[in-house]
Amino acid sequence: MMSFRRLLAVLGLAVTVISCDLLGVKKDEADLSVTIGSEEVGKAAGEVGVTVSALGAWTLDIDFVDGDGWAELSRTSGTGYRSNVLLRYERNNTAESRSLYVVLTSESGAVAECRFTQGADDAGASGGTANSTDCGWLELPETREDDGLVWGWHGMTISGKPVRNYSFYFSKKDRLSFWVAYPLNQDLMGTKGMRVDEFVYDGLLPESWQANLFRSYSGHYDRGHQCPARDRSASVEANAQTFYATNMTPQRSEFNQGIWQKLESSVQGWALSLNSATDTLYVVTGCVVDADSGSTTDRAGNRCTVPTAYYKALLRYKSYSYDACAVWLDHDTDAERATFSDMMSIDELEKKLGFDLFVNLPSKVGGAKAASIEAKAPSANAWSL
């Protein structure tokens, strides 16, 4: 979130610009700038030079976009031009790149800033599996050590950079993932229309655990995506991974091609309506397996559980703030599209599911703020279906 000092500085700059609108920009604002010797670095610890240009006294601050406390400045105040400031940063041992802003504020309240990004460790196309989700990604629900499920993730490369594609929580017994979680924005969605359409086994898990989906399930069940192919049209690699068996569940054709497809389009619209390319929609798509679940078979005759319901949990990051909503749909519904009555707070969905969603949100915004975000009922204006 935006630091309090940076927020005050930005507000001060807005007032200054308005008051000087007819006179032009003040000279100290025109000469104010901050630059970093290298705006993107690798995962290793290091330091990089920061150059400040200002006419008078100034202060420097760090606004952490991702994480907190992993970098520091060798000096935070001075006067005039300085090129001997250092930004020192720790090694990034997470699976996600992280960013910060170095914010320069003049004595008149004018602001200049530059972004610094550090690459990630263990991020790449190979992905991995584990029995716990301790990497800190905001979209992740909780996992448990003793539930017999396997958490895995796939990576992809966007604009030459390795990033995560989606995570899944897989049940060998049911031959499906209980949920799939992923970030969504314009850059990750890419160009509309790319569809690999090759349903294959996921190389992260033994083939014997997975549904054979080279053809569809038996009966009137489609191979239903949890992370839609449309959400990953940024590259062939990214799109192909959405056709892995770990991303599929048996969905009634009427459901998959009707109400579910329309809901997916609404989610894509929410992601595309965000005002900044750095804003992100964090998505959890899940299915419900319970005592009422039936079954179908795959091409090889293996039993595959048919979920009784599906849901989407959504956490939206926009303009340094978060809001959230959830949608629940019974698998046997005859409705043509989801309505506002199908929406609920994250807290309400968690009560239905019996586990926590967005478990890394408290470490990002604090426990009290996270609780408020998850308890708030969605509004029809903010989440228009």
Side-chain angles (χ1 to χ4, degrees), residues 270 316 340 378-385:
W270 294 332
R316 177 166 52 193
F340 187 66
S379 72
N381 289 334
W383 302 93
S384 178
L385 287 166

Side-chain angles (χ1 to χ4, degrees), residues 368-383:
K369 182 63 176 177
S372 174
I373 293 168
E374 295 192 354
K376 183 178 179 180
S379 72
N381 289 334
W383 302 93

Side-chain angles (χ1 to χ4, degrees), residues 53-124:
S53 179
L55 292 180
W58 49 262
T59 58
L60 276 180
D61 196 10
I62 295 177
D63 182 13
F64 290 96
V65 178
D66 303 300
D68 195 11
W70 53 271
E72 62 180 10
L73 292 160
S74 62
R75 63 185 301 171
T76 57
S77 62
T79 302
Y81 179 88
R82 290 288 183 274
S83 61
N84 61 344
V85 181
L86 293 177
L87 175 68
R88 300 187 178 99
Y89 50 90
E90 300 171 353
R91 179 184 176 86
N92 185 3
N93 292 317
T94 73
E96 184 180 21
S97 63
R98 57 190 181 186
S99 297
L100 57 79
Y101 284 93
V102 175
V103 184
L104 171 66
T105 307
S106 73
E107 58 185 343
S108 69
V111 175
E113 63 183 28
C114 57
R115 188 182 180 103
F116 174 79
T117 300
Q118 184 181 25
D121 193 10
D122 299 327

Side-chain angles (χ1 to χ4, degrees), residues 26-45:
K26 288 184 176 179
K27 184 172 177 55
D28 66 336
E29 294 174 17
D31 291 343
L32 191 73
S33 69
V34 58
T35 58
I36 298 179
S38 240
E39 295 184 0
E40 295 186 11
V41 299
K43 63 189 179 185

